[in-house]
Amino acid sequence: MTLSIHQRIPARTGAAFHVKRHQRIRVIDVSGEQVADFTAFYAPNTEERLDPLVTIDVLGHIQPKIGDALYSNQYRPMLTFIRDDVGRHDLLYPACRPEMYKLLYDKGDAHPNCYDNLNQAIQPFGIAPLTQHHSFNVFMNVQQTAQGALQVVRPLSKAGDQLEMRAEMDLIIAISACPTLESPCNGYHCTDIVIEIE
Amino acid sequence: MTLSIHQRIPARTGAAFHVKRHQRIRVIDVSGEQVADFTAFYAPNTEERLDPLVTIDVLGHIQPKIGDALYSNQYRPMLTFIRDDVGRHDLLYPACRPEMYKLLYDKGDAHPNCYDNLNQAIQPFGIAPLTQHHSFNVFMNVQQTAQGALQVVRPLSKAGDQLEMRAEMDLIIAISACPTLESPCNGYHCTDIVIEIE
């Protein structure tokens, strides 16, 4: 099958794409240890969008696996996991944003961030900026104790590892190659992400 | 100190209130085992609102305790825990909504739900309906394994138990006495919630 799209998303930037129902999306970690903040909208009505907490509600689990779907705020399956080289992603952390860098790292507003990357990426698709992005964080590795304490650690993804998902409806998807250098989130180095859609 | 507000919220309904900075809010479980879906907005700019996932990010924990705050989508503390008779609440589950009852319980659109209760309650305060409510669920008891599997079980709250919080900014708060009868969420019976604000 011919690749419809093969696009490299440079480190610390974002991009968005149209995806047709039943197309496959591959999120590829080019160099390893790189998180990709991912969100999706139902193309005909973008008020329906990927919802990590609905996904957790339906799955009864915080870690989706092959065969599981990511769900929308309207409790419909949007994307089904087809192939997963890593098996460790995150549904809990919001997209990093200026206020986060300010509070947690005392960094100014100029820090690149997934929130602005995602909002900029969706703008050409006619989607107004959201006041928050609750993203699905591909390759993000969060350790959790049975008591509920969380710790972000280095991703398990190695160069070339990928997550492949099948679109269950017509979508607009947006991805940000996470720009965090201040935590183990991206292994202390920010690198490129490749998106393939076919 | 004189009580500013003491209001009973009948089972399966919602209500909203203005709260001034440094006022205290008590959420009281009248009969026991009753969950109250709770959300809050910064009164001068209601695009800033309570965000359970930002709260988890800042606390590094899914279970807030006395002295912890609930945070807004802009990473500012909104409400600080002052007294907690139960010690078990939930930041993960979205407010129940018609699409949830349809998918998980095959129930029709007529089922009372926290999503509509919250949207109806905030309308008189000039806040347009949200397309999703990621609420803080007072008294909701979710068991989680170290592997990330979740299970909703009966609340630990007994008749008269309360959670008391201090407002850290001027707020509009909204509460829904959760109408779920289909799971152990409310111990299989829906009862009243009392709100006190002083």
Side-chain angles (χ1 to χ4, degrees), chain A residues 111-196:
Chain A
H111 198 297
N113 62 86
C114 290
Y115 173 77
D116 287 328
N117 284 348
L118 293 172
N119 272 340
Q120 286 161 16
I122 61 181
Q123 190 171 17
F125 292 79
I127 307 175
L130 273 63
T131 54
Q132 175 67 312
H133 280 286
H134 291 131
S135 47
F136 166 57
N137 307 308
V138 185
F139 309 130
M140 187 171 178
N141 187 5
V142 179
Q143 300 289 333
Q144 182 167 357
T145 69
Q147 288 71 41
L150 302 170
Q151 189 180 10
V152 179
V153 297
R154 298 175 88 112
L156 300 179
S157 50
K158 300 178 300 296
D161 278 348
Q162 62 176 260
L163 173 70
E164 186 176 21
M165 298 179 281
R166 183 184 63 232
E168 303 299 351
M169 51 177 71
D170 291 348
L171 297 173
I172 296 159
I173 64 167
I175 302 101
S176 168
C178 179
T180 294
L181 282 170
E182 290 80 4
S183 83
C185 180
N186 302 302
Y188 299 104
H189 46 83
C190 292
T191 53
D192 299 353
I193 289 287
V194 160
I195 296 294
E196 291 181 348

Side-chain angles (χ1 to χ4, degrees), chain B:
Chain B
M1 188 184 283
T2 310
L3 283 184
S4 303
I5 287 173
H6 173 105
Q7 185 166 324
R8 198 172 180 109
I9 303 175
R12 313 187 98 185
T13 70
F17 307 91
H18 274 293
V19 180
K20 287 303 219 182
R21 181 169 181 242
H22 289 170
Q23 280 195 301
R24 291 174 178 223
I25 303 159
R26 285 190 283 276
V27 183
I28 305 170
D29 184 352
V30 177
S31 307
E33 296 192 327
Q34 177 60 46
V35 168
D37 281 35
F38 180 98
T39 193
F41 302 83
Y42 177 48
N45 168 22
T46 57
E47 289 198 344
E48 182 169 5
R49 60 186 176 279
L50 190 153
D51 192 313
L53 296 186
V54 169
T55 301
I56 288 172
D57 184 4
V58 177
L59 299 183
H61 208 286
I62 62 167
Q63 190 64 239
K65 59 184 190 309
I66 290 173
D68 287 341
L70 303 176
Y71 282 78
S72 76
N73 56 328
Q74 295 184 25
Y75 280 76
R76 296 202 300 161
M78 300 187 93
L79 296 135
T80 302
F81 278 31
I82 300 297
R83 169 182 166 180
D84 183 0
D85 294 344
V86 179
R88 174 66 71 164
H89 315 284
D90 172 67
L91 285 164
L92 293 181
Y93 280 74
C96 60
R97 56 187 290 164
E99 298 89 344
M100 185 212 81
Y101 287 106
K102 188 174 175 192
L103 179 67
L104 302 186
Y105 301 110
D106 199 22
K107 292 287 172 76
D109 286 350
H111 197 295
N113 61 87
C114 289
Y115 172 78
D116 287 328
N117 285 349
L118 294 172
N119 273 340
Q120 286 162 17
I122 60 181
Q123 191 171 19
F125 292 79
I127 306 175
L130 272 63
T131 54
Q132 175 66 313
H133 280 285
H134 290 132
S135 47
F136 167 57
N137 307 308
V138 184
F139 309 129
M140 186 170 179
N141 187 5
V142 179
Q143 300 289 332
Q144 182 167 357
T145 68
Q147 289 72 40
L150 302 169
Q151 191 179 10
V152 178
V153 297
R154 297 175 89 110
L156 300 177
S157 49
K158 301 178 298 297
D161 278 348
Q162 62 175 260
L163 173 69
E164 185 176 22
M165 299 179 280
R166 182 182 65 233
E168 303 299 351
M169 50 177 72
D170 291 350
L171 297 173
I172 296 159
I173 64 167
I175 301 101
S176 169
C178 179
T180 294
L181 281 170
E182 291 79 3
S183 82
C185 181
N186 302 303
Y188 300 102
H189 46 83
C190 293
T191 53
D192 298 354
I193 289 287
V194 160
I195 295 295
E196 292 181 348
I197 301 169
E198 70 172 358

Side-chain angles (χ1 to χ4, degrees), chain A residues 73-99:
Chain A
N73 55 327
Q74 295 185 25
Y75 280 76
R76 296 201 302 160
M78 300 186 93
L79 296 136
T80 302
F81 279 30
I82 300 299
R83 169 182 167 180
D84 184 359
D85 294 343
V86 178
R88 174 66 70 163
H89 314 285
D90 172 68
L91 285 164
L92 294 182
Y93 280 74
C96 60
R97 56 186 289 163
E99 299 88 345

